[in-house]
Structure formats: C-alpha cells, structure tokens
Amino acid sequence: MNAKILKRAPVSQQRQIIDKDSKADIGNIVEIEINGKDFKVPLGVTILEACRSNGIHIPTLCYHEDLCIAGVCRICVVEVEGMKTLQASCAYPITNRINVWTSSEKVRKARRHILDLLLSEHYGQCYTCHRNNNCELQTLAKEYGVDFFRYGHIQERRYSVDRSSFAVIRDMDKCVLCKRCVRTCIDLQEVGVLEATYRGDRTKISTFMDKPLADVICINCGQCINRCPTAALKANDPSDEIWEAIDNPEKHVIIQTAPSPRASIGEEFGLPPGHSMTGELNTALRMIGFDRVFDTNFSADLTIMEEGTELLLRLKKKLVDKDDNIKLPQFTSCSPGWIKYIEHFYPDYLDYLSTCKSPQQMFGAILKTFYAELHNIDPANIVTVALMPCSAKKFECNRPEMRSSGYKDIDYGLTTREMAQMIKEAGLNLPELPKSNFDDPFGEASGAGLIFGATGGVMEAALRTVYELVTGRQVPFQNLNIEVCRGFEGIKEASILLTEVKPEWSFLEGLELKFIIAHGTANAKKVMEMLIRGELDDYHFVEIMACPGGCIGGGGQPIPTSPEIRKKRAEAIYKEEMELSVRKSHENPHIKFIYEKFLTDGPCGHISHKLLHTHYVRRGRYID
Amino acid sequence: MLVSEKSALTAEIEGIVNEYGNTRDNLLPILQRILNKHGHISEFAQQEVARLLDIHPVEVYGVVTFYGFMRVKEEGRYIVRLCKTISCDLAGKEAIARAIERELDIKFGETTQDKKFTLEYINCMGMCDAGPAMLINDTVYTHLTPRKAIEILKNCK
C-alpha cells in the first residue's frame, strides 16, 4: 500500500452519496420503521439521511453537507430498538431492518442535556452576538425549550479573542467543538490551519503552537466562517470605519459591488437563494450614503482584457520566440485566497500566475488615478469600499503591493453579510426598494464580468474575448454560453480549436487551446500536483478559485451554505447575464473609453503594468 | 536555532522517517523517537515531521498536545512526576510534594534554573498498592517517604 492517504478522514467516515435510483434497480432496499411507520430506504444511507428524505426532522449541529461525518456533537441521537445506548443518526448507516424512534422521551431528554452541557461552556449573551438570529446553537436551544442553565453558565472568558488576521477573527469562547472548521480547513480546503488540540475538558481548536492566525498559513478563504454553527469565527468587520467615512462630508466614498453578493444578499433579508438584487442593492447603497456606486464587473472586463492579452503574449513568446522562460499554462489571479495558497504551498510556481491584479484592486487603482483626475477630486479624500463575497479580499487590500496609485488602492473590503447588516442598520428593507442603475462612468459592464462570480466564469469570459480577438468570430457556442465551463465538478477540462485566425495571429492557426477550471483549494492542490508531474505541459490556461463553487460560495457570503444553495446562486447569475445586452468584455463601451483616454498604450502596456499588474511573495510553508 | 542545528535535526528526522515509512500511521513512533533523544519535540521538529509525512503541522501539534508525556518546549533533564490520584493521596502524597518542592525550590509545573528537574503531577500509574508513587523519567519509585524522595532526587546526576 504505497497510495498516500491525502484525506484526513478515513474512508469509512468520508461522505458517501448513495444514488437512490441506481440502488433501487438492483433491489438493495431496506425496509425500516421510523416512529412506528414503515419506510423503504436504499442500503447504506444513514438514519439521518433516511429521515430527512422522508420529511422527518432530526436536529444536527456538527453535521454539514459539505463535510465528512464527525459524529461529535451527539445532538442527532436517536433510539434504535435493540441497542443499549442512543445512536448518532448522522453516523449510523442502515444495513438491516431496524426500528428507529426519533423523538422518544429518552431522546428528547438526552438532547436537552447535551444542549445544557454545550451551553454551560458557551460564553456570552445572544443579544451582543453577531450571529444572533442566525445561530444553530440558539435555534436548537429554542427548539428544545432551554429556559435555564441546568449545568450553570460560564461567567468569565477563558480565551482571548484572536484579532490578528485582516480577514478572520476567532473567539474560542463561543466554540462548541463541533470541528466543522477543522474538517473544512483540512478536508475541504486542504489548507490545514486548525485542529483540535489538547484533550478532554482542555480540548480546544487551535492553530499550530497556538499562534495568532496572522502568523500561520491561513489563506483567509473564510470557508470556516461559513460553516461555523456559532459565532466562534467571524470576518473582520470594517463597517464602523465605513460609516465614519460616509458621515464625513469631506470624504468621497465610492463603493464597487462584486457580481456574487447581489445574487446572495437577498438571503439575508429572508428571500430564498437564487434571487438577484442588483437594482435594489444600488438604491440601498445610495440611500446609505455612498457617493458613487460602481460595478466591479467593469474591472472584471478590464481584467479579461489584461489577462487575455497576457495569455496571447505568453503564447506568442513561447510559440514564436521560443522563449523557455515563459511559463504556460497561465493561472488566473482573481482569487486572493488562491494567491495566498500558492504563495505558501507552491512558492516555486509563482511565475505561472498571471500578473494581473484582481478586479477589486484594478478598480481601486483606476479610481484613485483616472477617476480622481476626471472629476478633479483629491485621491486622498477618496475612500474606496469593495463589496465582496470574500474574506480574503480584506487581506488583499492591505497587501503592501496594492498601493500603485500612491494611496491604498482599496480602503476597505466589505462582505455580503456586513453589507446586509449596514443596510438593516440604515433602516432599509432591501427587497422592497425600487431598482436603480450603477453610476457612470464605470457603471455599465458586460455579462462576461458578471459571470466571474461562479466557478468557470473567468474562463468563459476570457474565451469569449480571446477567441474573437484571434479569429474575428464569436465563440462557436449557442448564445455565447460555453456550457463546458459551467457546473460544479471539482476539476473541469476542455479545449477549443482556433481555426481561420486573423493574419496577425497566424502562429495560433490550428492550435487547440486547452484549459482547466478548478474550484476549492483541495482541487487546486490536485491541479498543482498535475503541473509538477508535467501533465499540464500542453495546457494553456487554468482558472482557479479558492472557494467551493467560486465566489458565490465565498467566505463572506450569507450563512448557511450548501451545494444546493450555491447552485441556486450560480443560476441567478447566469440568468441575469442572459438579459444583458453586452456580453463580451471587449465590447463594453467603457472599456473602449478607458483604453482610449487613460491606458493609452493598450492592454499590458506601460501604464497598465504600473497600475493593473502586481507581483507575488514567496511565503513558503514554514511557520516561524 | 542555528542553521547548522536545524539541518542536523532535519537529517536526523529524515533518517527516522525513512526507517518507519512516511505514512501518517507512523506519526506516533516517529514522535516518540524524537522525544526520547531530545526530551521535547520542538516547533521546527514538528514542522519537519509534518513536511516529511505530507500532513499539516497543526495535525502533528494536535497529537503532541493530546499526550501528556509529549512536550514542545525544552524542560528539565529529569522529569519528576508525582501521582496525585486518591490512593497515593491517602498514602501521604502531600508530604512528599512539600518535601520535593522544598528540596528543588520550585513549585509543581516548574523547572529548576539549571534545567535539571521539572516537577509535575500525573494521574494514576497503577501503583495504588505501593503509594505514594512517583516516576522520574522512566523509573518508578514506590513506598515513598519525604526522606526517601529527597534521597532519590540527590542521586539524580
């Protein structure tokens, strides 16, 4: 057995998804009795899955659809006849006929005691907690009628709050040791920053040697925040500073909004996932007091122009000039979590990354130079806020490299959750607001920029532009929808043949442009291993997003998250995209305008290199 | 830590990992070997083990902190562990504890300045019939009296 076990969880604990229909064909159906009623379920599903698919509610806390089974919280216990003790239903695969009772007296009492025990060490009060009304522990306490602390309630802090990171704040006094963050970090993202340490009543979730989060190799993806059932993890909230800037009449406060928050912010206002709120959000932002509301999709278009041109330049240098220093495939650089991941884990491969900044940072650099000049505003008085689905953006805007305008290009990164909080604080009910458009001059964006929000979107947008630039024709897909780029498979591979190219690109004639799309850093790791083994030598372009599902599943998005919710959000984005008139980055009139007036030496020219491109830091894995 | 010390430690850990194999199920024996040689498993050593086994440093740290006998910092050459469980307590553990504290001039949980002794409590080690009992490194001492305990400490070179 030389095969390396990459996953931390043994195979038996990893999530097994059993397809109902396929099992039904071969007769592997088990008849069981739940609460006195007969049910037929496929062999091997857990009691929890069997109950959920038949509309029977079992409460859970450590269980999460994206993660492997842990079975540590014991909230989901049920009575199985013939068993001496209660069984955790999430970790009990059904293999024979059993009688299950999901809410007998014994079960209800046990659950109440488990909750009482969890609450006895859960410090703090609900009304000063940012997860108030969206806390799984609070919901359970209500569900099971907890009205006093049977085992007492801790009155003093045991740990100090770790505020070292730009992105993620850890408050271990709120932790219930469900280990969702551990499983997220190690299994889902394969970053491995958090683990349960010590033992027994001293158990706590900690980083290597209990170091502050800023000192370990955290990539700030925030996936742990999205999965934490309580308030132990949260994003670093800059809304107080933003309010201060809004209230200061001297400051010109600009907000840019990324494509994914508008597809998800409705969830914070009680709407089901999959409602796009672009127009309402614009109105809300103006009512809050932002002086200008711009669309990050504009700078996504700019990114496509720069990144697409960079790819073509790399192809030319490699194929025509035979320059061996040029690295292909070119990796995208839009996802700050992915950037920090590669800086830590694969520092020898930074040359493969596109040098383009992310859309957020490109916009910041343009706002504090071109826009300031155009409107005659002192850049020192411009405050740039970015509404992002992302916690890593908070780290990105604080990078020392991101000051090419001479100022901090983006002052604050704000997550979808924090934006929703600001809108509520302003007394607005988002779904009821009238719709309005973005402000000019950077208001109009193409659909290509919009689909950046879902995994595969950057690739799709880039292909639309690159293909048309090279051949003069539209991409050969119906309605410009490059379906191979869409969907939630971990790693997608495809290619597109370049034929009948324009004379100036004759060296690309007959080239099969091969590309890979991956999302989640666990998949990014697989792609990097392929690169190291030399399997990607004939590939040209790789899109990587650090979060599962791309930005729509980002660490700043509304809680909870699940594959189903992410799918709905992506659908909302693709639907909105179909309704736009301009769907190719290079056809965006504002992009043409900015290359005529400001970035006069064209994409990847001298000015854009100064403002829109960056360099990366070799961080390595060693923790000092 | 000096660079030369680091590379010596790396070479040593590489040797141990080669001996046991670089899969995660060998983590514990590898850690025990390092512990026996150095008396502690330093931050650097943990990261080297993690690198060679292709696991995360925090997973190694999780294992190291789980076991009471593993330590991450350099402490005394002699680790004196006095049993604090009920049988030894009834047999007069408290008097032994006071005597040792006086003799070494440190409290439980501390290390002497010359890094010779570290003093700590442990739970039952199965010597209930022969208490009070204490463990110095790998040797068990039973039927202790204050005078006998001090004598044992004096014999530690």
Side-chain angles (χ1 to χ4, degrees):
Chain A
M1 280 291 282
N2 281 332
K4 276 226 91 132
I5 304 157
L6 285 171
K7 289 259 178 176
R8 180 176 135 278
V11 178
S12 60
Q13 278 176 29
Q14 278 167 29
R15 200 176 152 68
Q16 317 270 326
I17 294 166
I18 293 168
D19 195 4
K20 255 188 191 172
D21 303 328
S22 70
K23 288 281 175 185
D25 290 346
I26 50 171
N28 274 350
I29 289 289
V30 186
E31 284 180 20
I32 59 164
E33 200 181 300
I34 307 172
N35 297 341
K37 274 190 198 155
D38 285 330
F39 292 96
K40 286 181 180 164
V41 296
L43 181 82
V45 301
T46 61
I47 295 178
L48 180 70
E49 285 167 317
C51 288
R52 291 229 165 138
S53 59
N54 287 303
I56 298 163
H57 173 68
I58 293 180
T60 51
L61 193 60
C62 71
Y63 175 86
H64 195 283
E65 275 181 89
D66 289 326
L67 307 172
C68 70
I69 300 297
V72 291
C73 77
R74 316 310 283 185
I75 272 292
C76 70
V77 285
V78 292
E79 208 175 335
V80 178
E81 266 181 38
M83 290 275 185
K84 210 169 88 182
T85 52
L86 296 176
Q87 300 294 313
S89 62
C90 69
Y92 191 112
I94 299 169
T95 53
N96 57 333
R97 190 185 164 89
I98 46 171
N99 287 359
V100 181
W101 298 93
T102 63
S103 57
S104 62
E105 187 198 356
K106 200 171 161 189
V107 170
R108 288 196 319 272
K109 265 194 179 159
R111 285 183 190 154
R112 174 73 205 268
H113 280 275
I114 291 163
L115 276 172
D116 284 330
L117 284 166
L118 285 173
L119 289 169
S120 71
E121 292 193 347
H122 184 71
Y123 171 82
Q125 277 120 358
C126 286
Y127 40 76
T128 53
C129 178
H130 72 278
R131 287 290 294 272
N132 190 3
N133 274 333
N134 185 16
C135 168
E136 292 178 40
L137 187 63
Q138 190 188 38
T139 311
L140 285 172
K142 174 93 176 71
E143 206 171 301
Y144 283 84
V146 174
D147 50 7
F148 71 105
F149 297 111
R150 192 189 311 253
Y151 301 117
H153 188 223
I154 189 163
Q155 294 300 316
E156 271 168 29
R157 276 194 172 279
R158 291 183 295 167
Y159 310 105
S160 55
V161 181
D162 179 1
R163 297 180 190 277
S164 62
S165 164
F166 283 118
V168 185
I169 292 177
R170 291 173 69 233
D171 180 358
M172 285 302 103
D173 277 312
K174 301 266 189 203
C175 178
V176 292
L177 299 171
C178 71
K179 294 209 213 168
R180 277 193 195 169
C181 55
V182 173
R183 285 174 283 153
T184 304
C185 203
I186 297 183
D187 290 337
L188 189 73
Q189 292 291 70
E190 293 198 23
V191 175
V193 163
L194 300 172
E195 176 61 288
T197 57
Y198 297 90
R199 182 169 46 161
D201 62 347
R202 290 165 65 212
T203 307
K204 60 175 175 174
I205 308 297
S206 75
T207 56
F208 181 63
M209 300 296 285
D210 294 305
K211 285 173 190 290
L213 206 53
D215 292 355
V216 295
I217 50 178
C218 173
I219 63 164
N220 304 312
C221 68
Q223 290 301 306
C224 50
I225 305 176
N226 282 2
R227 287 168 183 79
C228 181
T230 67
L233 293 156
K234 70 170 201 168
N236 203 344
D237 186 357
S239 52
D240 285 342
E241 287 96 321
I242 295 169
W243 281 121
E244 197 185 319
I246 288 173
D247 295 338
N248 182 347
E250 278 171 25
K251 298 281 180 194
H252 186 74
V253 190
I254 302 173
I255 187 161
Q256 50 161 315
T257 71
S260 343
R262 45 188 98 145
S264 64
I265 197 162
E267 293 164 38
E268 292 278 346
F269 293 87
L271 295 180
H275 276 73
S276 213
M277 302 247 93
T278 316
E280 293 87 339
L281 184 61
N282 290 342
T283 313
L285 296 175
R286 283 197 191 92
M287 288 171 82
I288 283 177
F290 288 101
D291 296 301
R292 288 285 181 279
V293 181
F294 290 141
D295 192 347
T296 308
N297 297 354
F298 161 78
S299 60
D301 285 337
L302 200 57
T303 308
I304 287 300
M305 294 305 289
E306 294 290 330
E307 206 160 353
T309 311
E310 188 186 352
L311 176 66
L312 290 171
L313 287 175
R314 280 196 195 199
L315 282 169
K316 180 161 189 293
K317 280 182 191 155
K318 187 92 172 183
L319 297 173
V320 180
D321 308 340
K322 306 284 178 205
D323 186 347
D324 282 337
N325 292 328
I326 295 301
K327 306 284 191 220
L328 278 173
Q330 173 180 307
F331 283 76
T332 59
S333 58
C334 306
S335 169
W338 152 241
I339 296 299
K340 193 144 186 272
Y341 182 83
I342 189 173
E343 285 178 339
H344 279 305
F345 288 87
Y346 300 98
D348 297 338
Y349 295 86
L350 293 178
D351 290 342
Y352 287 85
L353 281 177
S354 160
T355 57
C356 292
K357 286 181 184 172
S358 69
Q360 163 181 296
Q361 293 306 130
M362 282 197 182
F363 216 145
I366 295 285
L367 288 175
K368 292 204 175 174
T369 52
F370 180 54
Y371 173 82
E373 214 178 282
L374 206 66
H375 292 263
N376 203 14
I377 306 169
D378 181 4
N381 279 332
I382 295 182
V383 176
T384 46
V385 181
L387 169 59
M388 291 288 149
C390 185
S391 52
K393 293 279 180 197
K394 294 172 189 289
F395 173 82
E396 187 188 30
C397 73
N398 283 298
R399 276 177 182 253
E401 305 93 274
M402 298 298 176
R403 290 175 162 268
S404 46
S405 63
Y407 302 87
K408 199 176 161 195
D409 289 343
I410 289 292
D411 291 294
Y412 306 109
L414 194 67
T415 64
T416 314
R417 294 187 297 268
E418 292 151 6
M419 189 75 252
Q421 173 62 39
M422 284 181 78
I423 294 173
K424 285 176 190 164
E425 203 173 332
L428 304 171
N429 186 11
L430 188 68
E432 288 172 1
L433 295 177
K435 295 184 186 204
S436 61
N437 283 328
F438 290 99
D439 287 314
D440 278 336
F442 310 121
E444 199 178 319
S446 78
L450 183 66
I451 55 173
F452 263 55
T455 168
V458 178
M459 184 62 70
E460 186 169 345
L463 288 177
R464 286 179 190 173
T465 291
V466 168
Y467 190 86
E468 196 160 326
L469 221 61
V470 172
T471 65
R473 302 185 306 273
Q474 284 197 356
V475 278
F477 292 92
Q478 200 185 3
N479 292 334
L480 293 172
N481 293 343
I482 310 177
E483 292 292 343
V484 286
C485 294
R486 301 182 181 186
F488 289 97
E489 260 169 86
I491 298 173
K492 295 184 285 261
E493 286 180 45
S495 64
I496 189 167
L497 193 65
L498 301 174
T499 50
E500 295 167 47
V501 299
K502 285 184 182 171
E504 62 264 38
W505 300 105
S506 58
F507 65 96
L508 293 173
E509 180 65 42
L511 180 82
E512 192 187 2
L513 194 70
K514 293 176 84 174
F515 51 88
I516 290 188
I517 299 158
H519 60 114
T521 43
N523 292 317
K525 183 177 176 179
K526 286 183 196 140
V527 172
M528 289 311 289
E529 300 296 331
M530 284 158 78
L531 178 73
I532 291 167
R533 289 197 300 267
E535 290 167 21
L536 298 188
D537 287 351
D538 55 344
Y539 283 78
H540 306 101
F541 200 18
V542 179
E543 179 203 305
I544 292 186
M545 291 290 157
C547 295
C551 303
I552 43 149
Q557 292 282 60
I559 300 167
T561 182
S562 73
E564 187 67 15
I565 292 173
R566 294 195 289 272
K567 199 169 149 234
K568 291 260 175 59
R569 289 175 188 162
E571 279 167 9
I573 283 184
Y574 286 124
K575 185 166 160 271
E576 192 180 342
E577 200 255 339
M578 286 296 285
E579 291 158 7
L580 291 176
S581 53
V582 180
R583 295 178 61 207
K584 287 174 273 185
S585 298
H586 56 281
E587 287 179 359
N588 179 347
H590 299 289
I591 291 288
K592 289 179 185 163
F593 173 74
I594 199 168
Y595 279 112
E596 270 165 30
K597 296 281 176 205
F598 183 57
L599 305 165
T600 43
D601 43 5
C604 292
H606 182 69
I607 308 172
S608 53
H609 257 288
K610 185 171 168 286
L611 288 178
L612 308 182
H613 291 253
T614 183
H615 58 275
Y616 305 106
V617 188
R618 288 176 60 94
R619 290 178 203 270
R621 287 172 79 155
Y622 187 72
I623 305 164
D624 273 321
Chain B
M1 220 175 171
L2 294 171
V3 179
S4 57
E5 284 175 341
K6 274 186 180 171
S7 52
L9 189 56
T10 302
E12 187 193 327
I13 295 172
E14 275 169 358
I16 300 172
V17 171
N18 277 338
E19 202 178 306
Y20 287 97
N22 63 346
T23 48
R24 57 185 305 139
D25 47 320
N26 293 314
L27 176 61
L28 209 48
I30 292 168
L31 291 179
Q32 276 173 322
R33 279 279 290 274
I34 300 169
L35 187 71
N36 285 344
K37 171 109 188 266
H38 299 275
H40 72 291
I41 303 160
S42 66
E43 218 177 291
F44 179 74
Q46 289 179 53
Q47 295 197 52
E48 286 301 280
V49 172
R51 179 176 64 83
L52 293 164
L53 300 190
D54 195 17
I55 56 178
H56 303 290
V58 72
E59 291 181 275
V60 178
Y61 180 64
V63 171
V64 169
T65 51
F66 184 89
Y67 292 102
F69 276 34
M70 290 195 178
R71 43 195 73 237
V72 295
K73 286 204 188 85
E74 193 184 351
E75 278 164 40
R77 278 182 293 126
Y78 292 99
I79 297 177
V80 182
R81 297 178 169 108
L82 183 65
C83 176
K84 67 171 182 187
T85 318
I86 190 157
S87 317
C88 287
D89 198 8
L90 289 170
K93 159 220 107 182
E94 205 51 42
I96 314 290
R98 296 297 143 259
I100 300 175
E101 279 185 345
R102 266 201 307 278
E103 172 66 19
L104 300 178
D105 199 19
I106 49 171
K107 294 260 182 288
F108 275 84
E110 293 176 357
T111 301
T112 53
Q113 288 228 314
D114 59 358
K115 297 257 165 135
K116 191 173 175 187
F117 290 105
T118 295
L119 191 53
E120 58 187 43
Y121 280 123
I122 51 167
N123 282 308
C124 184
M125 44 184 172
M127 288 294 156
C128 309
D129 61 323
M134 75 175 172
L135 188 68
I136 300 183
N137 290 351
D138 287 334
T139 317
V140 184
Y141 298 90
T142 52
H143 296 298
L144 294 174
T145 60
R147 185 185 299 254
K148 198 173 159 189
I150 290 166
E151 207 59 34
I152 293 164
L153 293 178
K154 278 186 175 157
N155 286 333
C156 290
K157 290 285 169 332

